[in-house]
Amino acid sequence: MNFNIHSPELAYLSPTTRERAIVIAQQMILHQRVSPKEAIREAINVAKNWAVKSVNRQVWKRLKKADREAI
């Protein structure tokens, strides 16, 4: 089921994070019977946390690789 999800907060997210937030919000609306406003709010938080973890993991891998090359 495709819900129309529009929120000004989504405009400030990167395209990948925005897509993830929309998918999460759709799943929450469908499975948890949450209001669209609440689903968007929670989905944005989850997607932002995912993006930060993803970026941190990539930075950590680059630092680890640089350490290996330095040794």
Side-chain angles (χ1 to χ4, degrees), residues 11-53:
Y12 297 104
L13 300 175
S14 70
T16 306
T17 307
R18 184 181 315 122
E19 286 289 324
R20 188 162 183 94
I22 290 171
V23 169
I24 292 168
Q26 289 175 343
Q27 290 175 350
M28 290 177 75
I29 291 169
L30 185 62
H31 296 293
Q32 297 179 0
R33 306 286 187 218
V34 181
S35 70
K37 184 177 180 180
E38 184 64 32
I40 291 170
R41 184 181 307 134
E42 185 64 30
I44 288 173
N45 286 333
V46 171
K48 282 182 180 179
N49 289 339
W50 169 80
V52 168
K53 287 179 184 176

Side-chain angles (χ1 to χ4, degrees), residues 6-12:
H6 300 287
S7 177
E9 293 93 5
L10 290 173
Y12 297 104

